[in-house]
């Protein structure tokens, strides 16, 4: 797993992130279940790129883009990630979360609000397993989704 790395997402990744976000599987497992329009995505993405600190990375293997992971700041932090279809079923979801949690200074960035949440649809078993394997705990289970929380800072 040494030839994997997390690289900051850049403005030139706008189209790639939108393409990934609008795949059938991403829509199927998203809470909104809607395609994102280019105009809406462009506004969101440009605002997101200006956030400091930028907590938005691509998982790369050699020169290939595997997926992305991001933390969105709200009251706490919300984890979202995506793995490209051609790289699924290889436990890269678990890997991308693990690499994100090991990012230098992440604990310091999150120290005042050191809770990370993630919401997953109940039928998204692989994402649920990726969270559990990275020490996320189920905190709420609703009809459509499960809310997970990470607080395992050492």
């Amino acid at each position: 797993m040494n030839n994997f790395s997390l690289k900051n997402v850049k403005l030139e990744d706008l189209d790639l992130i939108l393409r990934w976000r609008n795949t059938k599987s991403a829509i199927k497992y998203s809470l909104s279940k809607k395609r994102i329009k280019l105009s809406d995505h462009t506004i969101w993405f440009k605002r997101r790129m200006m956030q400091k600190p930028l907590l938005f990375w691509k998982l790369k293997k050699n020169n290939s883009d595997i997926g992305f992971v991001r933390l969105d700041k709200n009251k706490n932090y919300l984890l979202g990630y995506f793995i490209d279809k051609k790289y699924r079923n290889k436990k890269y979801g678990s890997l991308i979360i693990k690499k994100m949690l090991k990012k230098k200074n992440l604990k310091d960035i999150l120290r005042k609000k050191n809770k990370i949440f993630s919401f997953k649809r109940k039928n998204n078993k692989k994402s649920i397993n990726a969270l559990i394997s990275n020490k996320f705990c189920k905190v709420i289970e609703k009809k459509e989704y499960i809310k997970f929380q990470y607080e395992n800072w050492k």
Side-chain angles (χ1 to χ4, degrees):
M1 298 283 173
N2 288 342
N3 47 351
F4 288 90
S5 61
L6 280 185
K7 301 291 185 188
N8 284 336
V9 166
K10 297 181 178 170
L11 197 52
E12 53 265 23
D13 295 315
L14 184 144
D15 291 330
L16 173 65
I17 301 296
L18 178 63
R19 189 170 59 245
W20 279 343
R21 170 52 185 88
N22 278 340
T23 62
K24 286 180 183 179
S25 61
I27 292 167
K28 175 182 176 182
Y29 292 122
S30 77
L31 295 180
S32 71
K33 292 204 169 243
K34 295 179 184 174
R35 288 182 57 84
I36 305 294
K37 291 189 253 175
L38 175 61
S39 57
D40 294 337
H41 176 71
T42 301
I43 292 167
W44 171 83
F45 193 84
K46 287 181 176 179
R47 282 188 191 142
R48 189 73 175 88
M49 296 306 296
M50 292 189 294
Q51 287 182 352
K52 303 294 180 216
L54 179 63
L55 303 174
F56 198 176
W57 305 275
K58 282 191 302 186
L59 180 66
K60 296 187 73 72
K61 180 179 182 184
N62 302 321
N63 290 325
S64 298
D65 296 322
I66 306 294
F68 71 83
V69 62
R70 70 174 201 264
L71 291 173
D72 295 325
K73 185 177 179 184
N74 198 344
K75 184 177 177 183
N76 289 287
Y77 285 83
L78 182 63
L79 168 71
Y81 75 95
F82 177 85
I83 302 298
D84 190 308
K85 184 178 181 175
K86 61 186 167 196
Y87 299 106
R88 293 190 189 145
N89 299 313
K90 298 178 182 193
K91 300 195 184 252
Y92 290 163
S94 182
L95 176 67
I96 200 169
I97 295 168
K98 183 178 191 175
K99 285 198 163 290
M100 185 254 337
L101 290 170
K102 289 183 176 183
K103 286 298 277 182
K104 187 176 181 184
N105 299 328
L106 184 62
K107 185 175 178 181
D108 292 336
I109 290 167
L110 300 174
R111 89 175 99 71
K112 292 180 184 172
K113 299 179 173 129
N114 67 349
K115 291 182 184 171
I116 300 174
F117 293 103
S118 189
F119 294 85
K120 296 297 169 198
R121 289 199 167 275
K122 286 184 171 182
N123 62 344
N124 194 348
K125 303 291 186 200
K126 294 192 189 259
S127 280
I128 289 169
N129 290 338
L131 290 169
I132 291 169
S133 73
N134 280 286
K135 299 185 170 84
F136 278 77
C137 300
K138 190 186 301 187
V139 290
I140 296 173
E141 188 165 341
K142 298 282 186 175
K143 182 179 178 184
E144 293 288 322
Y145 66 87
I146 302 170
K147 179 180 180 181
F148 291 87
Q149 179 177 331
Y150 181 85
E151 287 186 81
N152 193 36
W153 303 114
K154 293 180 182 173

